[in-house]
């Protein structure tokens, strides 16, 4: 099945490549990929779901065929929320959608789900290996309640600090060793370009320590489903489940 492609313009003028499968009259699922993927990571899932749903995927800014701004501020979560809202306006302006997201696709979605901008636009949220940064920060601050689990997660998150260093992360993510590690962690390499890996470093630089340093999460009022891989190389099951539970 060949998807229909369109361009959607975000609030700051960045163009996003959006792909649609299935009957547009059917209920809509919007799937948001993580780092360092692009929309093609959903191809197999989209083909199956398109038998019953209108399935929308898109390349997050900096990845795939979407525009690739160079400014760090262009990758902040408020702008990523604006991007999602622009996609929703284009593909399902009159009905709420089911949101499916993985990794950074999910991380960027959590704040918007609790805010006014997306109120009434999302029917359900399915998150795969993408905890809210604010939820995660508060969970880590309660480390005395689960010291071993907190230390284990910090060991899994070493790269988030590495990604703050100028120039070095771009060299690291271009290396064959990084590709091998990602492949071992289960990341699909089909359709991925080196730009997806290099530009996506900005997600960490623009968002990581601001959200972690000043967490102010709000409750999410829609149904949420967590899919928790037991052997994720970067997000432990304890963090994925326990950090979200209070919210």
């Amino acid at each position: 099945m060949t998807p229909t492609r369109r361009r959607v313009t975000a609030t700051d003028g960045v163009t996003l490549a959006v792909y649609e499968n299935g009957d547009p009259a059917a209920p809509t699922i919007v799937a948001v990929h993580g780092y360092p993927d692009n929309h093609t990571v959903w191809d197999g899932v989209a083909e199956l779901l398109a038998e019953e749903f209108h399935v929308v995927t898109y390349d997050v800014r900096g990845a795939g065929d979407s525009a690739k701004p160079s400014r760090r501020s262009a990758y902040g979560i408020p702008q990523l929320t604006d991007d999602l809202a622009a996609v929703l306006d284009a593909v399902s302006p009159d009905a709420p959608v089911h949101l499916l997201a993985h990794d950074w696709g999910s991380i960027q979605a959590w704040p918007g789900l609790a805010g006014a901008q997306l109120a009434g636009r999302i029917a359900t949220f399915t998150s795969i290996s993408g905890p809210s940064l604010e939820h995660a920060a508060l969970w880590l601050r309660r480390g005395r309640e689960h010291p071993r689990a907190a230390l284990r997660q910090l060991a899994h998150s070493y790269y988030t600090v590495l990604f703050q260093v100028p120039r070095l992360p771009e060299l690291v993510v271009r290396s064959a060793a990084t590709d091998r590690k990602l492949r071992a962690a289960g990341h699909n390499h089909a359709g991925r370009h080196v730009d997806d890996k290099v530009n996506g470093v900005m997600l960490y630089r623009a968002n990581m320590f601001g959200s972690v340093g000043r967490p102010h999460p709000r409750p999410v009022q829609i149904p949420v489903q967590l899919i928790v891989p037991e052997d994720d190389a970067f997000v432990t099951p304890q963090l994925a489940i326990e950090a979200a539970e209070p919210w």
Side-chain angles (χ1 to χ4, degrees):
M1 179 184 300
T2 302
T4 301
R5 173 176 159 168
R6 70 164 83 186
R7 307 292 294 190
V8 170
T9 302
T11 54
D12 62 349
V14 168
T15 57
L16 307 172
V18 179
Y19 304 84
E20 299 178 68
N21 289 273
D23 182 359
T28 299
I29 295 174
V30 174
V32 189
H33 68 83
Y35 173 80
D37 296 310
N38 56 50
H39 82 279
T40 61
V41 75
W42 297 113
D43 283 354
V45 174
E47 184 175 355
L48 293 172
L49 292 176
E51 296 175 5
E52 299 182 40
F53 296 92
H54 172 218
V55 184
V56 177
T57 60
Y58 67 97
D59 290 324
V60 172
R61 57 177 56 215
D65 287 330
S66 289
K68 300 167 175 60
S70 58
R71 307 179 318 279
R72 177 185 301 192
S73 60
Y75 293 84
I77 285 178
Q79 181 60 61
L80 298 174
T81 303
D82 286 351
D83 291 356
L84 175 58
V87 172
L88 298 183
D89 288 343
V91 303
S92 188
D94 301 318
V97 307
H98 301 283
L99 185 63
L100 167 63
H102 171 246
D103 187 75
W104 263 99
S106 181
I107 291 171
Q108 72 182 60
W110 282 102
L113 296 177
Q117 184 176 8
L118 299 181
R121 307 298 304 274
I122 310 295
T124 65
F125 177 45
T126 297
S127 170
I128 309 172
S129 290
S132 159
L133 294 179
E134 294 179 302
H135 298 173
L138 292 177
W139 181 83
L140 287 169
R141 290 183 182 190
R142 301 196 310 270
R144 291 183 180 179
E145 301 172 14
H146 39 247
R148 291 185 179 179
L151 288 173
R152 183 166 175 256
Q153 179 57 55
L154 288 171
H156 281 249
S157 302
Y158 69 92
Y159 65 96
T160 63
V161 177
L162 172 67
F163 277 8
Q164 308 305 314
V165 178
R167 299 187 181 88
L168 178 61
E170 285 83 351
L171 295 174
V172 171
V173 299
R174 291 176 185 272
S175 72
T178 299
D179 278 347
R180 288 194 296 270
K181 184 174 179 61
L182 289 169
R183 194 174 292 110
H187 282 263
N188 177 11
H189 278 231
R192 184 185 296 158
H193 189 273
V194 66
D195 286 349
D196 300 344
K197 296 182 287 185
V198 171
N199 295 324
V201 171
M202 287 292 193
L203 294 169
Y204 294 86
R205 291 176 176 160
N207 300 295
M208 185 58 65
F209 291 114
S211 297
V212 170
R214 299 181 298 276
H216 298 289
R218 291 167 292 176
V220 175
Q221 304 292 345
I222 63 171
V224 174
Q225 172 178 237
L226 302 179
I227 297 179
V228 183
E230 294 181 350
D231 297 318
D232 192 300
F234 307 109
V235 179
T236 63
Q238 289 89 346
L239 172 65
I241 297 170
E242 294 173 8
E245 281 179 337
W247 308 101

